[in-house]
Amino acid sequence: MSLQAAMSLRLGELVLDVELDARPGTVTAVLGPNGAGKTTLLRTLAGLHAVDTGAVTLDGVVLDRPPDIFVVPERRRIGVVHQDYLLFPHLSVLDNVAFGPRSRGRSVRESRSLATGHLARLGIAELAHVRPRALSGGQAQRVALVRALATEPRALLLDEPLAALDAGTRVETRRDLRRYLAEFAGPTLLVTHDPVDALTLADRVAVLERGRITQVGTLAEVTGRPRTRYVAELIGTNLVQGTAQGTAIRTDAGSWLTTAESHIGPVLATIAPAAVALHRHEPEGSPRNRWVGTVAHLDLLGDRVRVQLAGPLPLVAEVTPSAVSELALREGDPVWASVKATEITTYPA
Amino acid sequence: MTGAAARVWEEQRIVAIRRRLVPVVVLAVLTLFGAACGENDADTAGSSSTGAGARAEGPLSGELTVAAATSLTNAFTRIGEEFQAAYPGVELTFTFDASSALTNQLLEGAPADVFASAAEADLAELTEAGLVAGVPSVFARNELVIVTKPGNPEGVSRLDDLVDVGIVSLCGAEVPCGRYAQQSLDAAGVAIPESRVTRGPNAGATLNAVSQGDAVAGVVYVTDAAAAGDAVDTAAIPADRNVVASYPIAVLASSGAPELAAAFVAFVSSPVGRAVLEELGFLPPA
Amino acid sequence: MLGAAAVTVAFFALPLLGLLERADWSRLWADLTSPEALEALRLSLVCSSSAAALCVVFGTPLSWVLARTAVPARPLIRGLVLLPMVLPPVVGGVALLAAFSLRSPLGGWLHDTFGVQLTFSTPGAVMAETFVALPFYVLTVEGALRSMDQRYEDVAAVLGASRFTVFRRVTLPLIAPSVVAGTLLAWARALGEFGATITFAGNIAGRTRTLPLAVYLALESDQQAAIALSLLLLVIALTVLVSLRDRWLRPA
């Protein structure tokens, strides 16, 4: 009993090729950069696009399987909450929420009383007769969620539900959203590009990049062993791809790294930026990995400076501002970098 | 025939709009938007020469503008061809419309050298206004006739029959052909309820309502009926009830080429002009 | 820029002023309240309102199809529907005659089977007006359908609404201002219709002699009456267009 998709479709430039299994009572975050196809994925699951090949099933019922099965959106019983909520501007909050039950055959009176109940449960009964344009972002988000839930959906799809909110409202709304999602029995898919959403709201994370799922797992699994540059950058670490021969890795760019762990074959390695040390002259002593790079870019980040290195190992180093002035680092300068073997985490690719 | 008739209709209307309805049309542009888009898109219609004055080169060359009743369209077009064959240096332009409409246009200052009307009253009005040079002369006469659909399915043969057939097409009550038709009907003691009368703005449009539209019968000039050929059948109106329209012609006082204008007027009454008029069904002047 | 705009405004305003200047104000009221004028006004209002209603009834589904579906001959259909905008209305009238006169197969059949004659009838005048007014409605509504945020329709579908419910409860309310604007434009166009009406429906007092036809006829006989009627038409149409501008053509 879950929302499953194993499908591909082409929509203009985008080719979506996805395998996904969202289980009941869990929240799966679909994390990915802009243009990766996250919204298209949701629209496809909701029935607003048809798949080219493969299938979408919900609770074992096939919703879309070319060439013979396609369940239209109005019959899918999937709730969707959009990033900009898309509350009907010409209807009151109450009628927005009552729209689903009404469209599914209930009487006006019944639909409205259902809607009133739903609004009360989310503590926004007083908004019933307000027009959407008078709502704050947080309120609108809640109404959109209630509207989706009022149809008693079997699955819930949330498209960047917090993205349009300002930072202050976001924290509070996220907390509430978490509570509501915990009560929802069906599978929830939460599209976001904010890892904090994934961290606070989701049980599992699926990373979607350029139309493909590149990594699935718990957030800890995914961030612990990033498989793509996108994830690595998301958690602020360096990712190196290469081939291991024991404790030596030949990176795809042609450099060598010495690691503490031993592997054979294609591996991924992460190096925390703070673990990359910078020097004016060739460092002496223990670091096994040392090389000369060029300062490509300097970025002040709070009380740290991120130094993007160019050269055989294009890593990011994180140092203190005083270290930058001590080393007199300027963009374009050559600089020595070193990483201890024990600071490199390796795992099979 | 259909296309030609429609075009004549359109041109008449267009000329009317251009000459006299300009303010109204522009008004329509302002208020009615597309209405005017359709109706004044007629810049292709021949515009009469505004510099109607004769050129200095010779006595019988230059530009000449003739305003003439719609019922003269075919006759004058052919007479015009003959005239231009005789005087190759002349550039001749016609403006055809209902005589009453042309009269109004001329009163408004429309430039023309010659006016040939289907009603003596119109020229009298212009003479009174001092717009006519000399005395108008009658060059042709015309009679009314009943026109019906080909084969005359409703069996209309007399004015009396018009009382209880379907829609009857008459010229507007103030247009000469409409006035004459009314006189003729009055003479016959026939009163057609106005609710069954469609009023054409001129003789051509009135005929079209029968030949193109669903009007059962109409009363138009003999010459119009003749020009329509097979598109209509005719039933004669007895002489005692018929109205004979006299067609006067005159040179206009505002003409910049009075000699040329006088030459055209003379040409219309010449044997060549007479022959054309007669061939098209006009009666000679009394 | 401002100067050019002023010239343009003058171009539109001067003829109007000319008309006002020519009007004989002492007999204006008498001209406007003559039985003929009132009859023409009544008929004009009946015909143009009926035509506007027909535009809504027939134009709305058509606009939806043009805006939302991928019918193969869409450009051709749109061209066909918009044609009356650029055609001389007289041509439209001739075309209507060809299709619906008693001698045409369809018109003949209608007459023989149902005893219906469209030519020279008030319904015929309404038809002629609808013919020329419909493009204004379709153009306005199709544009609104294209420019509205269609995701609202998606949301409604996902909430369980059938296509028709989506249209009725979401699409139509969202484009309501344009539906009103299109209706008023069509109405104003129908009110001023002349060429197609006189060609197809004739010029029969009380039946097909609408204000523009009355104006044309009056010009032959009584210019003051024509000017009075023109002013009446002008005031009505201007009122509608000005209210349209203020209330409905404003971006939401």
Side-chain angles (χ1 to χ4, degrees):
Chain A
M1 302 297 267
S2 60
L3 177 61
Q4 292 169 308
M7 51 143 201
S8 73
L9 83 131
R10 184 183 201 98
L11 201 76
E13 298 277 285
L14 179 74
V15 178
L16 200 59
D17 194 347
V18 166
E19 237 177 279
L20 195 77
D21 185 357
R23 286 171 211 138
T26 68
V27 177
T28 305
V30 177
L31 203 59
N34 287 332
K38 304 191 295 288
T39 298
T40 306
L41 172 62
L42 285 203
R43 288 177 62 84
T44 307
L45 296 176
L48 299 170
H49 298 304
V51 306
D52 293 338
T53 58
V56 177
T57 60
L58 175 61
D59 292 352
V61 178
V62 177
L63 296 180
D64 190 356
R65 189 172 64 206
D68 46 346
I69 300 178
F70 180 78
V71 179
V72 291
E74 55 264 38
R75 300 256 173 83
R76 290 203 176 187
R77 311 214 59 152
I78 290 180
V80 178
V81 175
H82 293 262
Q83 176 177 353
D84 40 0
Y85 320 129
L86 297 175
L87 298 175
F88 302 126
H90 58 289
L91 297 180
S92 68
V93 163
L94 184 68
D95 284 338
N96 261 281
V97 178
F99 189 94
R102 179 115 173 70
S103 297
R104 290 173 195 273
R106 293 183 190 262
S107 70
V108 177
R109 179 191 294 256
E110 227 181 326
S111 307
R112 287 206 172 139
S113 86
L114 256 170
T116 308
H118 278 289
L119 288 169
R121 204 162 321 131
L122 265 75
I124 46 174
E126 75 279 5
L127 297 177
H129 299 289
V130 173
R131 288 277 162 153
R133 79 169 66 87
L135 297 176
S136 73
Q139 289 171 332
Q141 201 278 335
R142 254 168 266 206
V143 172
L145 182 68
V146 177
R147 181 174 67 174
L149 290 173
T151 62
E152 291 160 24
R154 299 205 186 100
L156 199 54
L157 310 179
L158 311 176
D159 189 1
E160 308 257 11
L162 304 167
L165 301 176
D166 59 68
T169 321
R170 190 178 302 171
V171 175
E172 187 193 342
T173 313
R174 186 184 284 130
R175 197 183 56 223
D176 291 341
L177 185 59
R178 186 170 156 181
R179 209 175 69 228
Y180 308 141
L181 292 182
E183 291 169 16
F184 183 65
T188 301
L189 224 54
L190 169 81
V191 156
T192 181
H193 64 262
D194 185 349
V196 181
D197 289 348
L199 179 68
T200 51
L201 297 173
D203 307 295
R204 295 171 75 241
V205 173
V207 180
L208 185 68
E209 291 178 75
R210 286 187 295 280
R212 289 168 182 275
I213 301 243
T214 50
Q215 209 171 346
V216 186
T218 64
L219 190 67
E221 284 165 0
V222 169
T223 57
R225 296 193 158 187
R227 308 204 71 86
T228 62
R229 211 183 163 79
Y230 166 72
V231 178
E233 277 174 11
L234 209 61
I235 58 174
T237 193
N238 290 299
L239 184 68
V240 178
Q241 245 173 330
T243 311
Q245 294 166 8
T247 55
I249 297 175
R250 183 175 167 78
T251 72
D252 289 357
S255 314
W256 287 90
L257 277 177
T258 305
T259 61
E261 298 163 67
S262 174
H263 288 277
I264 298 290
V267 288
L268 291 167
T270 55
I271 305 163
V276 181
L278 300 181
H279 318 268
R280 201 96 188 94
H281 305 287
E282 180 165 8
E284 318 221 329
S286 62
R288 303 286 293 276
N289 301 299
R290 58 185 85 176
W291 70 99
V292 179
T294 315
V295 176
H297 191 66
L298 290 167
D299 224 356
L300 184 65
L301 209 79
D303 59 345
R304 310 287 286 173
V305 177
R306 287 172 76 86
V307 182
Q308 175 69 57
L309 298 174
L313 270 169
L315 302 183
V316 172
E318 209 171 85
V319 296
T320 60
S322 60
V324 172
S325 56
E326 229 167 79
L327 293 167
L329 289 181
R330 276 174 323 195
E331 288 176 13
D333 286 353
V335 66
W336 277 92
S338 68
V339 176
K340 290 179 187 164
T342 51
E343 298 278 4
I344 301 175
T345 312
T346 48
Y347 46 96
Chain B
M1 180 61 220
T2 301
R7 203 160 49 243
V8 167
W9 204 108
E10 176 74 342
E11 277 168 14
Q12 289 156 355
R13 230 170 41 72
I14 286 159
V15 168
I17 287 169
R18 290 172 56 82
R19 283 291 160 273
R20 201 159 109 262
L21 287 186
V22 168
V24 178
V25 167
V26 179
L27 188 82
V29 174
L30 179 69
T31 55
L32 303 177
F33 239 86
C37 282
E39 294 179 10
N40 75 345
D41 60 350
D43 287 331
T44 47
S47 63
S48 63
S49 61
T50 44
R55 292 184 193 135
E57 299 100 45
L60 285 180
S61 66
E63 294 173 17
L64 187 68
T65 301
V66 176
T70 313
S71 47
L72 292 169
T73 304
N74 290 339
F76 270 32
T77 304
R78 276 178 55 186
I79 290 174
E81 282 163 13
E82 301 284 353
F83 184 71
Q84 277 181 305
Y87 305 102
V90 177
E91 207 175 294
L92 190 55
T93 309
F94 286 113
T95 301
F96 295 111
D97 203 339
S99 302
S100 51
L102 289 171
T103 304
N104 282 334
Q105 291 167 30
L106 293 169
L107 287 169
E108 296 271 343
D113 303 288
V114 174
F115 178 38
S117 167
E120 290 177 286
D122 292 327
L123 264 171
E125 192 180 348
L126 290 177
T127 306
E128 209 171 290
L131 296 178
V132 175
V135 181
S137 61
V138 172
F139 66 95
R141 292 181 306 150
N142 207 349
E143 279 187 312
L144 295 178
V145 71
I146 298 171
V147 287
T148 66
K149 294 263 185 263
N152 194 1
E154 303 285 329
V156 176
S157 59
R158 306 178 307 146
L159 289 173
D160 307 68
D161 295 336
L162 297 178
V163 178
D164 51 6
V165 289
I167 300 293
V168 176
S169 179
L170 300 177
C171 290
E174 301 300 323
V175 181
C177 61
R179 269 201 316 265
Y180 299 147
Q182 197 56 53
Q183 287 168 24
S184 189
L185 287 165
D186 289 348
V190 173
I192 310 171
E194 197 62 22
S195 66
R196 287 200 297 101
V197 176
T198 183
R199 296 269 179 193
N202 54 44
T206 305
L207 180 69
N208 279 342
V210 180
S211 65
Q212 314 287 318
D214 286 334
V216 170
V219 177
V220 295
Y221 294 119
V222 168
T223 53
D224 292 320
D230 295 340
V232 291
D233 275 10
T234 59
I237 299 172
D240 58 334
R241 291 170 175 187
N242 213 327
V243 175
V244 178
S246 290
Y247 283 69
I249 190 166
V251 175
L252 294 170
S254 64
S255 174
E259 284 176 36
L260 194 54
F264 181 81
V265 169
F267 193 83
V268 168
S269 298
S270 73
V272 178
R274 284 271 157 82
V276 170
L277 288 163
E278 211 165 303
E279 196 189 322
L280 292 175
F282 286 94
L283 304 171
Chain C
M1 228 28 205
L2 219 58
V7 168
T8 311
V9 171
F11 174 69
F12 284 103
L14 283 177
L16 165 58
L17 292 174
L19 205 63
L20 289 173
E21 187 260 319
R22 275 204 182 185
D24 181 347
W25 297 94
S26 61
R27 48 168 291 197
L28 188 71
W29 184 249
D31 279 335
L32 289 182
T33 51
S34 72
E36 294 80 17
L38 291 177
E39 178 74 281
L41 175 63
R42 182 196 66 81
L43 192 66
S44 269
L45 294 179
V46 167
C47 288
S48 56
S49 302
S50 308
L54 286 179
C55 285
V56 175
V57 170
F58 291 101
T60 309
L62 177 64
S63 309
W64 189 87
V65 167
L66 288 176
R68 287 286 187 278
T69 64
V71 284
R74 194 165 56 185
L76 185 68
I77 295 175
R78 188 184 292 116
L80 211 59
V81 174
L82 299 188
L83 207 55
M85 271 182 125
V86 294
L87 271 185
V90 178
V91 174
V94 171
L96 284 171
L97 274 180
F100 296 106
S101 83
L102 294 181
R103 281 179 294 169
S104 72
L106 183 56
W109 178 78
L110 280 173
H111 185 255
D112 297 344
T113 316
F114 304 105
V116 171
Q117 181 182 343
L118 292 168
T119 49
F120 297 117
S121 69
T122 306
V126 172
M127 250 174 92
E129 292 185 0
T130 307
F131 185 79
V132 294
L134 190 65
F136 290 84
Y137 181 82
V138 170
L139 212 60
T140 312
V141 173
E142 191 199 338
L145 282 169
R146 285 185 179 283
S147 62
M148 74 167 267
D149 190 341
Q150 292 174 31
R151 293 179 306 156
Y152 284 114
E153 295 174 343
D154 295 342
V155 168
V158 169
L159 286 172
S162 67
R163 259 191 178 195
F164 180 69
T165 306
V166 171
F167 183 76
R168 189 174 56 83
R169 292 205 57 209
V170 175
T171 313
L172 215 48
L174 286 178
I175 62 164
S178 295
V179 169
V180 174
T183 307
L184 287 181
L185 272 178
W187 185 84
R189 174 65 188 92
L191 186 71
E193 214 309 296
F194 172 81
T197 309
I198 196 170
T199 310
F200 181 63
N203 179 13
I204 302 175
R207 213 193 285 184
T208 67
R209 186 175 300 155
T210 54
L211 268 179
L213 272 63
V215 169
Y216 195 86
L217 218 63
L219 274 170
E220 306 294 344
S221 53
D222 185 349
Q223 292 230 24
Q224 275 308 319
I227 288 172
L229 294 177
S230 302
L231 281 173
L232 180 62
L233 258 179
L234 182 131
V235 168
I236 298 174
L238 200 63
T239 307
V240 167
L241 293 178
V242 167
S243 73
L244 186 80
R245 185 84 214 120
D246 278 0
R247 216 167 299 164
W248 302 111
L249 293 187
R250 234 178 239 162

